[in-house]
């Protein structure tokens, strides 16, 4: 076994590998760029070597610097993680020349499967079903148009060396091909150094299923069941689960055996994933086709670990050291259900625009079982603080405790985490999500005996996931977990586009949830007023805090009163149990729900968490103060609560409404990024919907279009400029 390994990667996957290596008694070496100098994975490793500036092309993608770090530290092997050099044959070959082990598959397998065009030819030769398409070199846009018309629309254009959702364009007609072909080539060249593109038929009602492969150097190859990865946005996976709610035992066996046969044909060993596209319109499961093979560890590998109990990182290390697999195909079982949500630095309320910046607050959720008191919500005198007590909880999600060695709480818990909740991350409070790398902040993985249990745990954990300082998609993935179509298991890769055609505006909330939030807001307002009246040096007598509030959330208006310390909503006693100290940012509450589940709209009564015995719902609410109330975030949506003392609430109708300015004449950069192309000049006439500029952010090209017709009056930026969010690129008249 190796004594020291180097991790040629960063972020959460570096943390993940370090944790497993530490458990195996293997020393670790981290390499880092300028941007990652203070990252958690650097502090976690036994040694760390600086390898260059922040851009990956000047640091993590330079094989010679990785090899130099190995020689400097005496590392015997390199684990590449995913992305960067993980599927670069030249890197594996360079390591072999230096007698450094590569913790991954053999070079010939990487070469065979890493090229999407060549891999499809190999799959066809091995008798594996492949999607109809053009497998070969495409000369230019005109050639791409002819090919697309021969295959029949819709078609998918893919960069041959692409991955991770980058370098892919869906085309429904000739115009889409003409607009997207060159962009696909550029993305392939910029992200992977290869501008070759292939085109294939787009399968309608598709599901994205992948099979986890694990092999050793002694000819043993197993399949570790499947993962469902159909919930995607712009071909980037958002939610993954194992097993798939669509796959039957017969389908699983057929898919697994084909994928093993393909792996055996290229002499594969280590961990790998064969990705399949499956027609959701064919319940027989026979309509599945080979897409590609990823010759590395997948981002979503934790869900497979949860249901099989197999540490894939450990197995990769053991296989690279020459050990035989300690299990057979008969040993591979499915125990329970696991779901993974990717927490991204992007703003779903603004069209999922990338968000960069500093994590001013980062509190991931974990389970604990603290002692709790009992009783209803009441206002308690003493030291200017307003407190309540909770009824006993069986389990409560709490922020993680740091390990005894002082290292941050990154990945590497047991496969199922703590009480079914696992967080794989590589960030820490005060750290920065930069423009140089992937925008993923963390992976939240939950395990339950059933699919519903795993989804319910996701919702509870997401409610307690605190991130401030930049935009994130927590509300969005929580909304997916509650969505009845997701709960039914009847979805395709078009789920997000179909269910959120006009963008995301928060998960729907029923009247009971709004009433509960109003009660919480009213009580918190009382607690804050109680603290304010104890501030020293005030003129006049110390008055009792207001006991009557008007709380408006959207169109709903509720009157909250404190009567003898108990809460009344609209004149009726309300059964609420919670704890709050002024300044708290997360409130744990229990609410008695007479009928429906909290968080579900009338036509979604079967979605979301199920109520616990006694119709009591646990509710976690993130709260922040506004000028005249609070922002309350829970169950996949942020609710604005306007809270006014009851005796002056009627005066609010006389307030002047501020009308927002018309910004449609400006082309505003929606995200931090690089202006790569400007299509117009001063004086040009443009029509609504016309492409005006292209901004590259997080390695993705974003086309900015005119909101209305007009003439370009002023241009404030040029191609090559780095733009901040909301920067004005041009003005029209």
């Amino acid at each position: 076994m190796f004594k020291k390994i180097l991790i040629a990667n960063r972020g959460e996957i570096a943390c993940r590998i370090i944790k497993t290596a530490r458990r195996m008694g293997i020393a670790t070496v981290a390499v880092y760029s300028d941007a990652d100098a203070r990252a958690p994975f650097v502090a976690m490793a036994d040694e760390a070597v600086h390898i260059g500036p922040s851009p990956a092309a000047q640091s993590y993608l330079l094989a010679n610097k990785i090899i130099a770090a190995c020689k400097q530290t005496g590392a015997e092997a390199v684990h590449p993680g995913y992305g960067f050099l993980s599927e670069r044959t030249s890197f594996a070959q360079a390591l072999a020349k230096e007698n450094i082990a590569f913790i991954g598959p053999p070079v010939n397998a990487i070469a065979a499967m890493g090229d999407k065009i060549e891999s499809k030819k190999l799959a066809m030769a091995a008798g594996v079903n492949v999607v109809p398409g053009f497998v070969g070199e495409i000369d230019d846009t005109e050639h791409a148009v002819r090919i697309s018309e021969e295959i029949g629309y819709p078609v998918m254009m893919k960069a041959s060396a692409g991955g991770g959702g980058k370098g892919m364009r869906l085309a429904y007609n000739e115009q889409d091909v003409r607009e997207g072909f060159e962009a696909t080539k550029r993305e392939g060249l910029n992200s992977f150094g290869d501008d070759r593109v292939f085109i294939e038929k787009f399968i309608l009602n598709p599901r994205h299923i992948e099979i986890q492969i694990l092999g050793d150097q002694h000819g043993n190859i197993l399949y570790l069941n499947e993962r469902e990865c159909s919930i995607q946005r712009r071909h980037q996976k958002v939610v993954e689960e194992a097993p798939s709610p669509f796959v039957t035992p017969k389908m699983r066996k057929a898919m697994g055996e084909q994928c093993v046969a393909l792996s055996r044909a290229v002499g594969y060993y280590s961990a790998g994933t064969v990705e399949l596209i499956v027609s959701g319109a064919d319940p027989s499961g026979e309509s599945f086709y080979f897409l590609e093979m990823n010759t590395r560890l997948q981002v979503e590998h934790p869900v497979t670990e949860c249901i099989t109990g197999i540490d894939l990182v450990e197995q990769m290390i053991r296989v690279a050291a020459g050990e035989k697999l300690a299990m057979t195909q008969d040993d591979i079982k499915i125990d329970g259900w696991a779901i993974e949500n990717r927490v991204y630095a992007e703003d779903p309320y603004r069209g999922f625009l990338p968000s960069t910046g500093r994590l001013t607050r980062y509190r991931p959720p974990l389970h604990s079982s603290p002692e709790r008191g009992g009783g209803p919500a009441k206002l308690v005198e003493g030291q200017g603080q307003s407190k309540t007590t909770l009824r006993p909880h069986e389990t409560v999600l709490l922020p993680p405790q740091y390990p005894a060695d002082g290292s941050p709480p990154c990945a590497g818990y047991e496969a199922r985490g703590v009480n079914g909740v696992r967080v794989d991350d590589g960030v820490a409070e005060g750290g920065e999500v930069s423009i140089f790398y992937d925008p993923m902040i963390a992976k939240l993985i939950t395990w339950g005996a059933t699919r519903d249990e795993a989804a319910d745990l996701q919702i509870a954990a997401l409610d307690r996931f605190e991130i401030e300082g930049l935009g994130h998609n927590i509300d969005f993935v929580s909304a997916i977990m509650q969505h009845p179509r997701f709960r039914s298991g009847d979805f395709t890769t078009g789920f997000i586009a179909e269910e959120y055609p006009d963008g995301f505006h928060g998960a729907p909330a029923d009247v009971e949830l709004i009433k509960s939030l109003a009660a919480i807001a009213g009580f918190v307002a009382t607690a804050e007023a109680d603290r304010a009246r104890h501030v020293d040096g005030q003129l006049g007598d110390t008055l009792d805090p207001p006991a009557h509030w008007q709380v408006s959330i959207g169109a709903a208006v509720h009157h909250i009163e404190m009567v003898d310390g108990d809460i009344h909503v609209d004149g009726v006693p309300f059964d609420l149990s919670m704890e709050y100290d002024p300044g708290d940012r997360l409130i744990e509450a229990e609410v008695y729900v007479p009928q429906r589940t909290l968080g579900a709209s009338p036509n979604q009564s079967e979605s979301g968490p199920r109520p616990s015995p006694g119709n009591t719902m646990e509710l976690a609410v993130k709260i922040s103060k506004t000028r005249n109330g609070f922002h309350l975030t829970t169950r996949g949506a942020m609710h604005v609560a306007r809270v006014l003392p009851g005796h002056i609430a009627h005066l609010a109708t006389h307030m002047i409404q501020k009308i927002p300015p018309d910004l449609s004449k400006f082309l505003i950069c929606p995200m931090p990024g690089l202006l790569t192309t400007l299509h117009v000049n001063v004086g040009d006439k443009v029509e609504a919907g016309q492409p005006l500029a292209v901004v590259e952010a997080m390695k993705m090209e974003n086309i900015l279009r005119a909101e209305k017709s007009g003439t370009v009056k002023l241009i404030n930026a040029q191609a090559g400029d780095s733009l901040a969010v909301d920067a004005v690129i041009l003005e029209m008249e």
Side-chain angles (χ1 to χ4, degrees):
M1 181 50 65
F2 306 117
K3 294 181 179 179
K4 182 185 291 187
I5 65 173
L6 181 144
I7 296 94
N9 217 297
R10 62 176 301 278
E12 67 87 14
I13 189 58
C15 292
R16 167 74 185 86
I17 296 167
I18 291 170
K19 286 286 188 177
T20 288
R22 180 182 296 173
R23 180 171 54 79
M24 296 175 69
I26 301 173
T28 56
V29 179
V31 291
Y32 65 93
S33 69
D34 289 346
D36 286 331
R38 295 178 178 83
F41 76 93
V42 176
M44 287 179 65
D46 297 296
E47 299 175 67
V49 178
H50 177 255
I51 55 170
S54 300
Q58 301 175 43
S59 51
Y60 296 108
L61 288 173
L62 295 180
N64 62 323
K65 291 192 175 184
I66 304 296
I67 292 172
C70 288
K71 293 179 178 179
Q72 176 183 334
T73 58
E76 306 160 83
V78 172
H79 196 306
Y82 50 75
F84 294 142
L85 298 171
S86 61
E87 295 178 283
R88 199 70 71 82
T89 54
S90 59
F91 179 56
Q93 291 170 333
L95 289 174
K97 289 181 180 179
E98 300 294 340
N99 201 29
I100 300 170
F102 178 70
I103 302 176
V107 171
N108 64 299
I110 299 174
M113 294 291 101
D115 187 312
K116 287 183 173 61
I117 294 175
E118 294 304 316
S119 66
K120 290 177 79 69
K121 293 178 180 178
L122 282 168
M124 292 170 66
V128 178
N129 297 336
V130 297
V131 179
F134 182 82
V135 182
E137 296 288 336
I138 300 177
D139 302 328
D140 52 27
T141 300
E142 295 302 325
H143 190 194
V145 169
R146 292 197 301 272
I147 291 170
S148 300
E149 291 176 346
E150 290 172 4
I151 295 172
Y153 295 105
V155 298
M156 179 69 77
M157 296 175 288
K158 294 184 179 181
S160 179
K166 298 179 177 66
M168 300 174 68
R169 288 288 192 283
L170 180 59
Y172 287 95
N173 49 49
E174 178 182 337
Q175 182 180 352
D176 290 345
V177 175
R178 292 188 181 280
E179 285 188 2
F181 180 72
E182 290 299 329
T184 304
K185 290 186 66 175
R186 286 194 299 272
E187 284 187 4
L189 183 62
N190 294 338
S191 296
F192 311 104
D194 187 342
D195 68 351
R196 290 178 301 156
V197 173
F198 71 97
I199 299 176
E200 64 185 13
K201 179 71 176 176
F202 182 73
I203 304 298
L204 296 175
N205 299 324
R207 296 186 77 118
H208 189 126
I209 310 292
E210 59 188 32
I211 301 293
Q212 176 67 57
I213 294 296
L214 181 63
D216 62 25
Q217 299 185 48
H218 305 276
N220 301 303
I221 304 178
L222 313 175
Y223 64 91
L224 275 58
N225 306 311
E226 82 282 353
R227 293 186 289 260
E228 172 75 66
C229 304
S230 297
I231 305 293
Q232 304 177 3
R233 192 187 67 80
R234 292 183 67 178
H235 314 298
Q236 178 77 47
K237 298 167 189 173
V238 177
V239 181
E240 298 102 350
E241 58 182 308
S244 166
F246 181 75
V247 173
T248 64
K250 180 182 177 182
M251 293 166 61
R252 182 174 299 117
K253 187 173 187 292
M255 292 175 178
E257 289 177 351
Q258 273 204 26
C259 294
V260 166
L262 177 62
S263 302
R264 197 176 300 281
V266 294
Y268 200 89
Y269 58 78
S270 192
T273 295
V274 180
E275 300 200 356
L276 306 169
I277 188 168
V278 183
S279 173
D282 182 4
S284 72
E286 296 178 358
S287 301
F288 64 88
Y289 307 94
F290 170 78
L291 275 180
E292 62 180 333
M293 184 173 188
N294 293 312
T295 55
R296 54 170 168 78
L297 191 66
Q298 291 281 92
V299 177
E300 57 272 21
H301 74 274
V303 293
T304 296
E305 295 180 329
C306 286
I307 66 168
T308 63
I310 297 172
D311 185 329
L312 288 171
V313 173
E314 177 183 349
Q315 294 304 314
M316 291 181 73
I317 295 172
R318 293 190 181 280
V319 167
E323 295 185 12
K324 288 185 178 181
L325 294 178
M327 73 287 291
T328 66
Q329 190 64 58
D330 292 338
D331 297 322
I332 308 303
K333 308 295 182 183
I334 297 178
D335 183 11
W337 213 286
I339 298 176
E340 173 181 298
N341 274 304
R342 301 189 187 189
V343 179
Y344 282 121
E346 61 185 13
D347 190 346
Y349 294 101
R350 298 185 63 195
F352 299 92
L353 295 176
S355 180
T356 59
R358 192 165 302 282
L359 287 162
T360 57
R361 186 173 182 83
Y362 180 73
R363 294 287 189 275
L366 283 176
H367 266 283
S368 183
S369 298
E371 293 295 325
R372 294 287 186 181
K378 290 183 179 293
L379 187 63
V380 181
E381 295 285 345
Q383 303 301 316
Q385 298 293 315
S386 301
K387 293 176 179 286
T388 59
T389 55
L390 284 172
R391 298 186 181 91
H393 285 264
E394 180 180 349
T395 56
V396 176
L397 292 163
L398 294 176
Q401 299 299 313
Y402 280 61
D405 63 4
S407 60
C410 289
Y413 309 117
E414 293 301 318
R416 295 174 181 171
V418 181
N419 290 341
V421 177
R422 167 177 166 178
V423 178
D424 282 17
D425 61 11
V427 299
E429 191 167 281
E432 188 173 356
V433 177
S434 73
I435 65 173
F436 300 105
Y437 313 116
D438 187 89
M440 189 168 66
I441 298 172
K443 301 182 305 193
L444 176 65
I445 306 101
T446 55
W447 176 90
T450 65
R451 187 169 183 265
D452 277 336
E453 286 183 20
D456 288 350
L457 265 178
Q458 278 284 338
I459 297 166
L462 288 164
D463 277 348
R464 294 160 173 85
F465 213 131
E466 298 182 70
I467 298 176
E468 296 177 13
L470 41 72
H472 56 76
N473 68 334
I474 286 177
D475 285 355
F476 179 64
V477 291
S478 178
I480 292 175
M481 294 296 99
Q482 300 173 65
H483 201 288
R485 186 175 167 194
F486 173 78
R487 289 294 182 131
S488 72
D490 183 18
F491 52 81
T492 68
T493 55
F495 173 86
I496 291 177
E498 293 160 6
E499 297 301 328
Y500 303 97
D502 300 320
F504 178 69
H505 307 290
D510 70 1
V511 294
E512 293 296 333
L513 177 58
I514 296 299
K515 184 185 294 184
S516 300
L517 293 178
I520 290 171
F523 183 79
V524 170
T526 303
E528 294 284 352
D530 181 55
R531 181 181 66 168
R533 74 191 180 100
H534 286 86
V535 175
D536 191 29
Q538 299 186 70
L539 297 176
D541 298 329
T542 301
L543 303 176
D544 291 334
H548 179 205
W549 304 90
Q550 183 192 84
V551 180
S552 303
I553 301 177
V557 179
H558 292 286
H559 296 276
I560 313 299
E561 291 183 272
M562 297 298 299
V563 180
D564 296 328
D566 293 327
I567 297 177
H568 287 220
V569 178
D570 300 326
V572 179
F574 191 81
D575 193 346
L576 169 68
S577 180
M578 58 175 280
E579 182 177 78
Y580 178 75
D581 289 334
D584 284 352
R585 302 189 192 191
L586 180 66
I587 293 172
E588 301 275 356
E590 284 186 349
V591 181
Y592 178 76
V593 184
Q595 292 181 348
R596 283 206 311 272
T597 302
L598 286 179
S601 62
N603 63 345
Q604 291 183 324
S605 58
E606 298 303 316
S607 68
R610 277 56 173 165
S612 56
N615 289 324
T616 298
M617 173 64 69
E618 290 190 13
L619 195 62
V621 182
K622 292 185 281 287
I623 183 169
S624 62
K625 296 181 68 174
T626 63
R627 186 174 182 180
N628 58 359
F630 307 99
H631 285 161
L632 304 171
T633 304
T634 189
R635 293 292 189 267
M638 189 274 288
H639 302 274
V640 179
R642 188 178 69 168
V643 184
L644 300 174
H647 65 284
I648 64 170
H650 65 282
L651 299 175
T653 58
H654 302 292
M655 296 295 291
I656 298 174
Q657 294 293 322
K658 184 176 181 180
I659 301 174
D662 178 18
L663 300 178
S664 61
K665 67 178 181 179
F666 298 104
L667 180 65
I668 297 175
C669 185
M671 73 208 79
L674 179 69
L675 180 61
T676 58
T677 308
L678 192 62
H679 294 296
V680 294
N681 296 306
V682 173
D684 288 354
K685 293 183 178 180
V686 300
E687 299 296 329
Q690 178 179 332
L692 301 181
V694 178
V695 174
E696 182 183 305
M698 299 293 185
K699 300 181 181 179
M700 298 287 284
E701 289 191 351
N702 301 272
I703 300 174
L704 306 185
R705 302 177 184 272
E707 290 189 29
K708 63 181 183 181
S709 300
T711 303
V712 178
K713 175 184 178 182
L714 181 67
I715 293 179
N716 296 324
Q718 300 296 329
D721 289 353
S722 293
L723 303 177
V725 63
D726 293 333
V728 175
I729 299 174
L730 59 84
E731 180 182 351
M732 294 192 301
E733 58 181 0

